[in-house]
Amino acid sequence: MADTTEPGSALVDFRVSPDRYRHWRLTVDGPIATLAMDVDEQAGLAPGYRLKLNSYDLGVDIELYDAVQRLRFCHPEVRVVVLTSARDRVFCAGANIGMLATASHSQKVNFCKFTNETRNGIEDATACSGQVYLAAVNGTASGGGYELALACEHIMLVDDRSSTVALPELPLLGVLPGTGGLTRITDKRHVRRDLADSFATRAEGIGGERAVAWRLVDEVVPRDRWAQTVRARAAELAERSARPAGATGITLPELAKSRSGDALGYRYVRAGIDRRRGLAEITVAGPADDPPAGLAELHARGAELWTLAMTRELDDLILDLRTNEPEVGTWVLRTAGSAERVLGYDDLLARNSGDWLAAEIIHYLKRTLKRLDVTSRSILALIEPGSCFAGSLLELALAADRSYQLAGVFTEIDPAAVPAAITVGPMNLGPLPMANGLTRLGTRFLGDDKALAAARDAAGQPLTGADAARLGLVTVAPDDLDWDDEVRIMLEERAGFSPDALTGLEANYRFAGPETMETKIFGRLTAWQNWIFTRPNASGPDGALRRYGTGLRPRFDRKRV
Amino acid sequence: MTAAPDYAEKIPNNVDLRDDRRLQRALESWQPNFLRWWESMGPALPTRDVYLRTAVNVGRAGWAHFAHVPMRDYRWGIFLAERDPDRRIGFGEHKGEPAWQQVPGEYRADLRRLLVIQGDTEPASVEQQRNLGATAPSLYDLRNLFQVNVEEGRHLWAMVYLLHAHFGREGREEAEQLLLRNSGSAESPRILGAFNEETPDWLSFFMFTYFTDRDGKYQLGTLKESAFDPLSRTCEFMLKEEAHHMMVGTTGVDRVVERTAQLMVEHDTDDAGPCGAVPLAVIQKYLNFHYSVSLDLFGGETSTNVANYYTAGLKGRWAEDRRPDDHRLTDDPMDVDALVDGRPGQIEVPALTGLNTDLRRQYIADCQTGVNRWNKILADAGLPHRLRLPHVAFNRRVGAFAAVNVSPDGELLDDAEWQRRRGGWLPTEVDKTHVRSLMRPVHERGRIAAWLAPPRSGINGKPFDYEYVHLT
Ligand SMILES: [Fe+2]
Ligand SMILES: [Fe+2]
């Protein structure tokens, strides 16, 4: 079977641009963009399946993610994005079943995670950028297709007496709609639970007025009035958007990236892979130059601006390692550079957060850090002299499962160095919330307001190991005599544990505090889905996923677990 | 600042302490606590100095360093047996791979636990024996007690060295804890039950050094096989000292038996008690007690922890290299002691899980040699009486037999009968009172208590009447 993401086979590249899209057509007409799905059947990421009926695989979603990103940075004028299908009578059939049936478990999980992140990104664009997504469901939307529509602010369904929206995963495939469907149906659209139950157990779905009555869609529109109604609705939604008028977007040139064997490199981010120890050593460099003097220069620098460039690189690295390096189970995070400069960039963005571009950059950093939060790898931060864990980059250490800060300096290497320090900044106190809606500091000190206040009061001062440990901002602060041993032993110990148990442990500890739709999707829905995926009733030889399309009925083990 | 050469002087070692800043610092902060512990929990009898052997090197010559030293100034050293650069792992799933010079992180927690348990016993026995000096039967015995004590102290150093050198911050914390737990303490007792019993008299001391220290010997023997080379080398060196402790126990019981036999013959009696000695029956009861309590130290008959330790290469079997098998044991069965239909019997289990039983059996066989030796003393005296090891299920608190009452002959007893007859097998208050009544100190050189025969030879070629200890 095609295992595109296992080492040794072709690596998945997340870098793409509209001129190379195989599956989407992006057109921009003033404030209204249209993102039309037009999946090339032949262009699946792996051989062995055909992407019929606008079904998708990771490759299709990589393009969607790219389009959503570019709309935010390159098209500030766009206020409404019409998500629709370029096909007649079919909107989207969801994740390709042939792909799901042949993918390894880890591929399925990683794929679902990424699609979830993209759908959350669509909601983030609507909520935070005034770039409102309108689902123009011009044919049947089933499974992941309907889940895509659910990520949009407004859902229109064509009323042609045959098109429906459907979540047929359970009856047809014996699995769940795993990209947020079950969560958004109830928590976002407030479909009554018994109706939601009926809906998700009927393969053919629901269309017409009943779909509206059950709140599955916002409106149904006859075919003959479809195009004009979509236009009208888009125009209305555009009116309500707070997107600025007359703004000019920036370009997002393709990321310069080198990847050879065990080394990945970008301008600010690099990673070395130690396969024997199963770990990636990731270093994020601080800014190479001082922050721009003002907004005009910030815009002029555009994608070259350190925060944006670094975030794009980190985003790509996370996606690359997650997809292409499943056996690299531990990520060691370091930073290098000037903390003052990092704080300078942070300050520039924070002061200009009313500006659309500054805001987009902050939101993008927020989304990228969230990506780190849901990454099923042990994340460990090492804070050494010469590092710049300050403000936005301190979030990396706060996202880590454990952080080690050197107390003082490495006397044998550079006794005159400035001791390792971290600095709390404004970026740690609000603009970069986690999926649970809290800051990483707030999550860290959940239920301990005193500790949170103490950390806040320490903002702006470089904190040495002892201070940071006392404030609970790092896990431990060994001195240079202990450092090598402590770190080595911790890493080796980590590598010895069950990767599954670690993933579960980390996922539980990372999201203390309140539940949100996002945490439910990544925590509850995903965990259930992944359990179901591995059960014989889904993926066993007689399971529903494997039997689908063979004409044979699945045979279930009837025991409830 | 401490000048570098001082290190070898202060802390004799062969671990390059002078070049290891981290270790220096760790030990420097630990040492005052150790000395405080020694002052408050070590030997209670005030002495000016003691004729002690100090290990200053691992070579033969390094061993023969005898001098009168104030115990407080004893130079507790850190010695590992010489390193074999080609040493390979002898068992478990890493068999054949080079021995580890560093702790693999994956086994850190297990190794640390093993060290802590072993390390906890070393100072424990010093604490258990701290009041014995006041009733020493001779200066020779007093000196042996102190020699054992300082060496147990050194064994603590050895374990602390490993914790400091290889287990980072957590190792240092554990090293602190080793001084904070105390034998018999209500709040923070020693980890293993047998090490919380006071050693109230010299008969107990000899029995303890024979039976309980011998458990230590076997535990060290399994750790000597460890894939973690520094642990292996540490234990190898400790075993040499442990042999001396065994000697103190073996010859100590020898001399008790010898004196008792002598008086039994002289007075033509079975009960040497009224003649000022320990009656043979009481010797047997003490033996029963110390033997059965020591059997408990080997843990349950089956243990998955120990199986894991073996597979991981952390802890081997006694004399691993002399075992004629594959040293992996993944498919082998073995019989272990168990209750079968409520009676002591045996069941078959996977060999890996039965390693505690294997070690206990090695130990039992070794214990029997001592009993044979004491019986030879009885036979040579012309007496028909014999000592013997009680049944393995007798008086057990740990393992399969903890649930039943069994006589020294292996007879199953109900609770009432056990209560009625136990006084015939284990020391009673009357026995203990009698033994205690014999414990009158003899601190004059060349003299010895009436219940004990003098040793055949002194220490390091010195005569028995040498002034081994200068009291204050
Ligand atoms: Fe010892
Ligand atoms: Fe000993």
Side-chain angles (χ1 to χ4, degrees), chain A residues 385-407:
Chain A
S387 66
C388 51
F389 284 98
S392 48
L393 288 190
L394 178 61
E395 288 293 306
L396 295 176
L398 296 173
D401 298 301
R402 285 200 229 166
S403 49
Y404 283 54
Q405 179 173 358
L406 181 72

Side-chain angles (χ1 to χ4, degrees), chain B residues 130-198:
Chain B
R130 72 178 304 249
N131 292 317
L132 283 178
T135 57
S138 73
L139 289 183
Y140 164 89
D141 288 291
L142 186 59
R143 177 265 164 203
N144 280 351
L145 168 71
F146 291 153
Q147 181 73 48
V148 170
N149 287 165
V150 293
E151 281 173 357
E152 298 302 4
R154 205 202 66 76
H155 292 177
L156 173 61
W157 273 81
M159 292 296 130
V160 165
Y161 158 72
L162 290 173
L163 288 168
H164 280 177
H166 296 280
F167 294 84
R169 184 176 44 92
E170 290 176 341
R172 289 201 297 276
E173 286 165 10
E174 292 288 9
E176 285 298 313
Q177 295 300 318
L178 288 175
L179 298 175
L180 299 177
R181 281 184 295 268
N182 292 131
S183 179
S185 152
E187 313 87 70
S188 53
R190 292 292 171 188
I191 296 169
L192 299 174
F195 290 91
N196 286 304
E197 309 275 348
E198 199 198 348

Side-chain angles (χ1 to χ4, degrees), chain A residues 319-335:
Chain A
L319 292 171
D320 184 319
L321 292 180
R322 258 174 22 179
T323 305
N324 296 319
E325 304 290 351
E327 291 190 19
V328 175
T330 304
W331 292 1
V332 176
L333 300 181
R334 289 187 178 84
T335 57

Side-chain angles (χ1 to χ4, degrees), chain A residues 23-42:
Chain A
H23 309 294
W24 294 89
R25 285 196 246 138
L26 175 61
T27 50
V28 176
D29 180 8
I32 295 169
T34 301
L35 193 49
M37 194 178 200
D38 189 10
V39 176
D40 179 349
E41 276 188 23
Q42 311 291 340

Side-chain angles (χ1 to χ4, degrees), chain B residues 250-321:
Chain B
T250 310
T251 59
V253 181
D254 279 359
R255 291 158 56 214
V256 179
V257 173
E258 186 184 335
R259 180 62 179 153
T260 297
Q262 204 180 6
L263 291 169
M264 284 166 75
V265 171
E266 242 176 71
H267 296 88
D268 190 20
T269 175
D270 281 356
D271 181 7
C275 320
V278 186
L280 200 56
V282 174
I283 297 177
Q284 177 70 56
K285 289 186 194 181
Y286 272 66
L287 183 161
N288 289 350
F289 173 76
H290 285 274
Y291 173 70
S292 55
V293 167
S294 300
L295 286 182
D296 279 346
L297 291 172
F298 292 84
E301 282 69 19
T302 60
S303 163
T304 46
N305 271 347
V306 175
N308 293 340
Y309 295 159
Y310 186 84
T311 300
L314 310 184
K315 193 177 180 212
R317 287 173 294 174
W318 180 258
E320 184 69 47
D321 53 350

Side-chain angles (χ1 to χ4, degrees), chain B residues 335-348:
Chain B
D335 288 331
V336 298
D337 297 330
L339 282 184
V340 181
D341 300 329
R343 330 192 128 261
Q346 299 205 326
I347 54 166
E348 190 181 285

Side-chain angles (χ1 to χ4, degrees), chain B residues 23-76:
Chain B
L23 197 55
Q24 284 170 21
R25 193 192 55 180
L27 289 172
E28 270 170 21
S29 67
W30 185 79
Q31 189 181 35
N33 295 339
F34 171 80
L35 289 174
R36 252 196 307 283
W37 168 82
W38 179 265
E39 293 287 292
S40 62
M41 300 304 290
L45 184 74
T47 52
R48 201 169 75 228
D49 56 30
V50 182
Y51 188 65
L52 291 173
R53 182 181 62 181
T54 306
V56 293
N57 204 312
V58 287
R60 215 165 236 298
W63 266 90
H65 196 88
F66 284 87
H68 276 101
V69 279
M71 268 197 288
R72 197 180 196 289
D73 299 339
Y74 187 78
R75 294 184 301 143
W76 282 280

Side-chain angles (χ1 to χ4, degrees), chain A residues 402 404 411-412 476 478-483 485-486 488-490 492-496, chain B residues 21-23 25 102-109 112 164-170 172:
Chain A
R402 285 200 229 166
Y404 283 54
T411 44
E412 240 115 86
V476 275
D479 64 19
D480 74 320
L481 295 180
D482 281 337
W483 180 261
D485 240 29
E486 289 286 327
R488 174 185 69 82
I489 285 173
M490 181 260 302
E492 287 181 3
E493 182 180 65
R494 205 84 184 168
Chain B
R21 270 197 317 131
R22 183 164 67 109
L23 197 55
R25 193 192 55 180
Q102 285 192 312
V103 178
E106 137 178 43
Y107 301 130
R108 171 176 66 159
R112 197 181 61 217
H164 280 177
H166 296 280
F167 294 84
R169 184 176 44 92
E170 290 176 341
R172 289 201 297 276

